Amino acid sequence: MTSAALHLALSAVNSSPTSLFVRYTSMLSGRDKFCRLAQYFSRLMVHILSQRPYTREKPSVADWLATFIKVQTAMATTRKIMRAGKFVEFLQLFVRTLLVRSEDE
């Protein structure tokens, strides 16, 4: 890649909207950890409630089981959406690395 092409790619990756997006997605790590905690807690509760055969017939336990299943799927989807834009940060770091290497040569 030529130096001009690298500078053009870096300017596109370092543009204000891209930098804002990278900054926003880096702040999502705490939210992702909380969602993971809620997802795995719900998974544990589904496992515990489904292992007890005498409680599955009770309507209240069935309602709780359905609620925990919904929470588990909602948290899994939320985590997938939050991680979807993470590749932009890696792309930005890759272009910066290429630029630094070309300036060193």
Side-chain angles (χ1 to χ4, degrees), residues 31-32 34-36 38-40 42-43 66-83:
R31 293 181 187 123
D32 182 53
F34 175 75
C35 287
R36 184 177 359 157
Q39 178 187 358
Y40 291 154
S42 297
R43 184 177 287 178
T67 301
F68 283 125
I69 290 172
K70 287 178 186 176
V71 168
Q72 177 183 345
T73 56
M75 291 297 121
T77 305
T78 302
R79 290 182 62 218
K80 287 176 189 174
I81 291 170
M82 285 194 291
R83 288 189 315 250

Side-chain angles (χ1 to χ4, degrees), residues 20-87:
L20 288 173
F21 182 76
V22 167
R23 202 169 342 144
Y24 177 72
T25 56
S26 67
M27 290 188 304
L28 293 177
S29 66
R31 293 181 187 123
D32 182 53
K33 290 177 184 176
F34 175 75
C35 287
R36 184 177 359 157
L37 175 70
Q39 178 187 358
Y40 291 154
F41 175 75
S42 297
R43 184 177 287 178
L44 175 69
M45 292 306 295
V46 166
H47 177 72
I48 290 171
L49 291 175
S50 65
Q51 292 298 314
R52 298 180 180 187
Y54 58 89
T55 59
R56 268 190 261 160
E57 288 90 26
K58 292 183 181 179
S60 62
V61 175
D63 291 341
W64 277 105
L65 191 61
T67 301
F68 283 125
I69 290 172
K70 287 178 186 176
V71 168
Q72 177 183 345
T73 56
M75 291 297 121
T77 305
T78 302
R79 290 182 62 218
K80 287 176 189 174
I81 291 170
M82 285 194 291
R83 288 189 315 250
K86 197 70 171 163
F87 76 94

